[in-house]
Amino acid sequence: MSILYLVLPLALVIVGAAVVAFSWAARRGQFDDLETPALRMLHDDDDRAGTSRPAPPTGDSTP
């Protein structure tokens, strides 16, 4: 029974910290747009592939 004096305040502190973290994240706009970051990763490969490709040979370097 005496363990309740330790566990109950500890649980209240953890729940309070979770509520504070959630309210901080909600005020900072972490939950405003949930779809765009998930789709952004699909379009990142197209941008990287376009910039990392070597230039096509021109055909002028043959001796």
Side-chain angles (χ1 to χ4, degrees):
M1 183 70 180
S2 64
I3 194 70
L4 286 178
Y5 295 116
L6 177 68
V7 172
L8 188 60
L10 184 63
L12 290 175
V13 167
I14 291 173
V15 169
V19 168
V20 168
F22 177 76
S23 66
W24 175 79
R27 285 185 194 161
R28 294 285 182 156
Q30 295 291 320
F31 303 112
D32 287 347
D33 186 13
L34 298 177
E35 293 181 12
T36 302
L39 296 175
R40 189 178 306 149
M41 69 177 200
L42 298 174
H43 297 290
D44 283 346
D45 291 338
D46 293 338
D47 294 338
R48 288 184 189 163
T51 58
S52 65
R53 288 185 186 160
T58 57
D60 295 336
S61 63
T62 55

